[in-house]
């Protein structure tokens, strides 16, 4: 019945198989991280947008096309404020970007395969945490998984939420894990540091520099823990 319905909607057989494969990968990933996280003793938690994925590189041109090309006022994390766009119009356009699969079109800020292999080689597990609104558009979760897949990598855990990442990191620390948080949000970084979580501000630094800094932060945390 499902195949017949898809054919009526104009899907070709190979396209149907590709969609089924994508769905299978997505469900397998969700099952694995919920029931078999098996994280190593060292964990790095990455924010995704503008840390691993170049959101501004796609979202800003999209917004300019929809809302007009206004000169940027000053650097900042809120795109609508930076460009002086009306918030309601910005939110409507951003909803269109998110619901139409915009997150799958983002360019990576690093060679993701090499970055992940360097960290795995240094005995880290990789967790990503993103504030993308999966409760508004459920396809965002699927788009996020497929974005990693198309670059040949898959984090050990993919989580969604904003402030929850700090509680999650603290929970991991309580289990004896060493956790380093990489984020571009100043407020999140301050809150994490206050909670005792080592942090690195994402500033599109070189991949080698980022990996070295992550390892250094983990070493420093473990040395402090052992001296207590």
């Amino acid at each position: 019945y499902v195949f017949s319905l898809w054919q009526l909607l104009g899907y070709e057989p190979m396209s149907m198989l590709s969609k089924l494969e994508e769905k299978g990968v997505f469900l397998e990933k969700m099952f694995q991280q919920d029931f078999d996280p098996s994280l190593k003793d060292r964990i790095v938690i990455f924010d995704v947008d503008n840390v691993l994925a170049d959101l501004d590189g796609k979202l800003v041109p999209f917004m300019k096309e929809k809302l007009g090309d206004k000169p940027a006022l000053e650097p900042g994390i809120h795109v609508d404020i930076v460009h002086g766009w009306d918030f309601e119009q910005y939110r409507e356009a951003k909803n269109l970007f998110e619901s139409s699969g915009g997150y799958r079109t983002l360019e990576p800020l690093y060679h993701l395969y090499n970055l992940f292999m360097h960290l795995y080689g240094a005995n880290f597990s990789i967790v990503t945490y993103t504030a993308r609104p999966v409760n508004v558009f459920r396809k965002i979760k699927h788009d996020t998984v497929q974005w990693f897949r198309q670059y040949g990598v898959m984090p050990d855990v993919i989580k969604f939420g904003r402030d929850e990442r700090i509680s999650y990191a603290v929970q991991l620390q309580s289990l004896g894990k060493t956790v380093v948080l990489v984020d571009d949000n100043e407020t999140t970084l301050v809150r994490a540091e206050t909670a005792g979580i080592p942090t690195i501000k994402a500033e599109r630094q070189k991949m080698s520099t980022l990996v070295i800094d992550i390892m250094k932060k983990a070493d420093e945390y473990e040395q402090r823990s052992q001296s207590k």
Side-chain angles (χ1 to χ4, degrees):
Y1 171 80
V2 173
F3 277 98
S4 298
L5 182 60
W6 282 10
Q7 285 179 321
L8 288 173
L9 292 174
Y11 283 92
E12 296 294 330
M14 292 306 296
S15 178
M16 287 190 283
L17 290 174
S18 177
K19 292 294 183 183
L20 286 173
E21 182 184 6
E22 285 186 6
K23 189 65 174 179
V25 170
F26 170 73
L27 291 174
E28 181 181 10
K29 181 59 188 173
M30 294 301 101
F31 178 85
Q32 286 177 343
Q33 72 173 35
D34 287 341
F35 297 101
D36 183 29
S38 58
L39 297 176
K40 297 176 182 176
D41 289 336
R42 284 186 162 194
I43 301 164
V44 57
I45 300 177
F46 284 106
D47 186 18
V48 178
D49 293 323
N50 294 320
V51 175
L52 295 178
D54 187 8
L55 176 61
D56 286 351
K58 286 288 185 179
L59 182 62
V60 171
F62 181 88
M63 290 297 175
K64 286 181 177 180
E65 180 182 340
K66 300 295 181 183
L67 305 178
D69 188 0
K70 295 184 179 182
L73 302 177
E74 60 180 80
I77 198 164
H78 298 291
V79 175
D80 62 310
I81 296 175
V82 170
H83 291 272
W85 289 318
D86 176 81
F87 178 69
E88 289 301 320
Q89 293 179 349
Y90 165 79
R91 185 169 62 177
E92 183 178 343
K94 190 166 186 285
N95 285 345
L96 178 59
F97 177 86
E98 293 170 335
S99 64
S100 63
Y103 288 119
R104 291 188 67 164
T105 69
L106 305 186
E107 295 292 332
L109 287 170
Y110 298 98
H111 190 296
L112 290 180
Y113 182 83
N114 287 349
L115 175 62
F116 277 46
M117 290 306 105
H118 278 301
L119 290 170
Y120 287 146
N123 209 32
F124 279 88
S125 286
I126 298 173
V127 174
T128 60
Y129 230 115
T130 175
R132 294 174 179 179
V134 293
N135 293 329
V136 180
F137 303 111
R138 296 184 65 85
K139 77 183 301 291
I140 289 176
K141 186 177 289 188
H142 178 265
D143 288 343
T144 301
V145 171
Q146 292 305 320
W147 183 81
F148 281 110
R149 182 176 176 239
Q150 72 183 353
Y151 289 106
V153 298
M154 193 61 65
D156 297 286
V157 176
I158 301 174
K159 285 189 167 288
F160 296 87
R162 185 177 298 279
D163 295 333
E164 296 92 331
R165 69 192 67 190
I166 297 173
S167 299
Y168 179 68
V170 171
Q171 179 185 4
L172 291 173
Q173 283 184 329
S174 71
L175 298 175
K177 308 289 188 182
T178 297
V179 183
V180 179
L181 176 67
V182 183
D183 207 297
D184 65 330
N185 187 304
E186 290 282 2
T187 301
T188 300
L189 292 170
V190 171
R191 287 174 175 165
E193 287 284 354
T194 302
I197 304 163
T199 67
I200 295 172
K201 184 177 181 182
E203 298 178 300
R204 306 196 181 202
Q205 54 266 64
K206 290 182 179 180
M207 184 177 69
S208 58
T209 301
L210 180 59
V211 172
I212 290 171
D213 287 347
I214 291 170
M215 295 173 63
K216 182 179 178 181
K217 287 283 186 176
D219 288 342
E220 291 173 349
Y221 175 82
E222 290 170 354
Q223 289 170 5
R224 289 196 302 270
S225 298
Q226 291 170 2
S227 64
K228 291 181 179 179

